[in-house]
Amino acid sequence: MAASILYSSALALLLGLVRHVAAVVPVLQTTTHDEGCIHLPIVHSTNVNFFSNKRGVQLQLANRSDIAYYAQLSIGTPPQPVFVQLDTGSFELWVNPDCSTVRGADALFCERIGQYDTSKSSTVTSLGTSKMLKYGIGSANISYVTDTITLAGTSTALRNVQFGVATSTSDAFAGILGIGYGMGIATKYPNFVDQLQDQNATRTKVYTLALGSKDAREGIIVFGGVDTAKFAGKLARLPIIPAERSPDKVPRFWVDLKSITLTPPSGVGRVYEDSARPVFLDSGSTMTLLPRNLTAAIAKDFGADEPDANGFYRIDCALTKMNGTLDFAFDGVTVKVPYKELTREVPTNPPMCFLGIMASDKFTLLGDTFLRSAYAVFDLETNSIWLTQAANCGSAPAALNDINSLSLIRGTCGPATEPAATVTLPSSAVWISVADGAGESDLAGPGGRDDVRSIVAALGKRCGDGERFGVAGRAASGSWYMFVGMMCP
């Protein structure tokens, strides 16, 4: 649910005048894609490698563009690059916000994300239908079209994808890529995630989200696969609560939260009362929303007794340098959010800091202030969220051939002494190859599809600074195979 937080602050922080210049949209480059998956960079708007650091005449606490996450699509023929906000809480793709409806830094950023011009595409088709989309903040009146969407770093081009072109918007600084449920559940047509599988760009209807830390300012989304270099250990499976049993009766990514615990630098933790409840994961929300009493209790422990007139809790910026965490416990996994990642920092002189949690009587959701510290797999085939603590030890996106592989995958980040993922392989496995610094050895057997269908799609093992790689798949004969290797220095 994009921009779920109700910002109405009039607090304007003057950063200096900048002269308006015409927008030049950078085209992102990605590495070669593994067959069966598509991975795109997730870019934070403060990343000066992609967006100018001259944000506009003002930066306001009310602005949202500076704390949102974007991916780039190339739309039409020839391709027109457009940045869109990633949103796990909505379901549809639309582009072309009206930048005149936002102010300050949001307005200037809006002009830099790119616009899609239907008159310049030879493959566009107007469907003659329209719709109004409403969000927690803002709305968009859209007209539906179909066109080709080319994905950066690959020859994959999705044909005849339906999406919206805005005819008018209110309080919207970017188009939105809704990656929630699609056809037959939340939409009446195949949405972007549906099309990826329908057009064989992915083998599974799964995507994984690693937003990246505030310092990194960049992450990755992998459609149809995982990136084992973005987490350590195993993934915990959390069933998605069906819409009919969810708090708002909408098919979102609702899961059961068991508890929230504050772990300060002293190590003496405090479990908050009434913190067990359903929550949904929403990358389109910059903040985390919790019930009023729970938010007030957490804010008090961060030194904020009362919110300001707009609902923000101002806290001491010194907290961002402390080693404390706010810990979110689920069934089988706890995600520890460092104080720094939980804080929204406004770069004034001196800086101002605000708790990344706000009170809400309407929604209970975990937004970007939580998701930066989590590695999340959105499994739309078995209606599950696979979750663990985020880490970063490189880049290793790879395709999933079988949804059952998720229970076997292990992240490769962690101490050098940490063992690699342990998988008990059947003695009849078709082909297993394991390489080490001394050479390569092969094992073979007469097995078949049913023996090894759940073997992990991509496995790696740490080997100093060496490269790790792994592939599982089905040969032309129909047999299944697995190859795991590493290139050691």
Side-chain angles (χ1 to χ4, degrees), residues 238 255-263 270 272 275-277 279 281 287-290 294 298 302 325-338 341-342 355-357 364-367 369-371 373-374 387-389:
L238 309 176
V255 295
D256 284 316
L257 175 67
K258 298 299 184 183
S259 68
I260 300 176
T261 302
L262 179 69
T263 303
R270 175 193 173 185
Y272 292 100
S275 56
R277 61 188 59 251
V279 294
L281 307 184
M287 306 279 270
T288 289
L289 301 183
L290 295 175
L294 178 56
I298 295 172
F302 279 79
T325 59
L326 191 65
D327 308 334
F328 296 77
F330 304 85
D331 188 13
V333 65
T334 296
V335 175
K336 297 178 176 293
V337 181
E341 301 298 334
L342 193 65
L355 183 65
I357 300 174
T364 304
L365 63 84
L366 304 183
T369 52
F370 165 83
L371 288 170
S373 301
L387 196 66
T388 192
Q389 186 78 34

Side-chain angles (χ1 to χ4, degrees), residues 183-257:
M183 178 72 175
I185 300 176
T187 64
K188 296 180 180 180
Y189 64 90
N191 70 359
F192 182 78
V193 177
D194 293 328
Q195 290 281 15
L196 286 168
Q197 187 180 44
D198 292 348
Q199 299 195 35
N200 299 315
T202 63
R203 301 188 185 104
T204 55
K205 195 176 290 187
V206 167
Y207 62 86
T208 57
L209 196 64
L211 291 183
S213 68
K214 290 168 67 174
D215 288 338
R217 299 183 180 182
E218 186 175 349
I220 186 172
I221 185 168
V222 183
F223 293 100
V226 296
D227 189 337
T228 54
K230 300 302 182 187
F231 66 99
K234 65 179 183 178
L235 297 160
R237 179 181 178 273
L238 309 176
I240 295 171
I241 300 171
E244 61 271 17
R245 293 197 288 107
S246 71
D248 66 351
K249 311 304 179 187
V250 177
R252 307 187 198 273
F253 299 127
W254 287 98
V255 295
D256 284 316
L257 175 67

